[in-house]
Amino acid sequence: MRFHYFPKCLRSVRSATRWTLAGVLTVAGLSSHSAEPAKKPDGFPGNNRVAIVVPYAPGGTTDIMGRLLAEGLGKRWGTQVIVENKPGAGSNIGAEYVARAKPDGYTLLVGATALANAPALTKNMRYDILKDLTPVSLIATTPLVLMVSKKSGIQNMPDLIARLKSKPDALTYGSSGVGTSINLSTLMFVNRINAQALHVLYKGSGPALTALVSGEIDMLFDNYATAMPFVTSGHVKALALTSASRGNLKTELPTLAESGLPNFESLTWIGMMAPAATPDTIVTWLNSEVAAVMEEPAVQARLVSLGFSAKSTTPEAFGGFIRAEMAKTEKLVKANNIQLE
């Protein structure tokens, strides 16, 4: 552990405060960001360059979100805010880089769902998300859509559940890999109804969607933005959303919670983190500034086009949310005997 600003005991108390939030958390129940702006830290960021590390290749949704934030923050601060892409190892390379960075607010992480999944899915983690990083804010979330192939003949949720329960592994589902949000969401669903389905792996959600259209697989969960074009074109049938509520999505689709599975929630999310021991004054101000950027009409419109909803939170609420996500993944990994990589 590196300690730059605070004694170990004080750093530990503050870090624990940010990460601790008891109870089962849903995005709908998270604390919203305070409307009162935070005080700007003396001398920060000044004329120094701020780097937002995105642990994925350029072009993806997390990268787009990182660049929206970099542009918005750069305009607000009058200084250079850049995006550094550090992909690899399921986002662990970029996350570790930030975890090892100087805790001065000039190196930040914009990561996604895989951050909370990694501890339960990685055999030898080189950093500890709870000890080496500190939460700044949740940024945005999107649900997955549960779809079935039209060739399956499945018409609604009761029909799907009945088919799944009638015979183990009678139906097939696709995913872009073991431990991905698509795979874990499916496991959450079949575990919840005490059923089984046969897992078919693809090299990405695109090939899995193609397989669903052709009838090669029967069922698929995928992110809202990539799923809905196939739904609206009539190539596949959508049954439900995985969010706790429909939020601001303009859709008639019910949630799984509304479809007979109370409290079911599985989301793709994006959030900002900083190295552990980053001063509270900087974390609090960053939290306020991120919220201000996410409230800009142009940013809101871009999020909607990506199928995401803006969701700023306090650092403490985001920390509690990540803890809950980690516990959820650990439970799924153990229950389904997923082998660590």
Side-chain angles (χ1 to χ4, degrees), residues 59-83:
T61 306
T62 308
D63 178 66
I64 293 171
M65 208 73 70
R67 292 178 191 280
L68 284 173
L69 277 173
E71 181 181 3
L73 293 174
K75 287 179 179 178
R76 290 179 64 82
W77 299 345
T79 192
Q80 188 179 19
V81 182
I82 65 165
V83 169

Side-chain angles (χ1 to χ4, degrees), residues 308-321:
F308 276 77
S309 300
K311 183 63 183 180
S312 298
T313 64
T314 64
E316 292 77 17
F318 184 36
F321 172 74

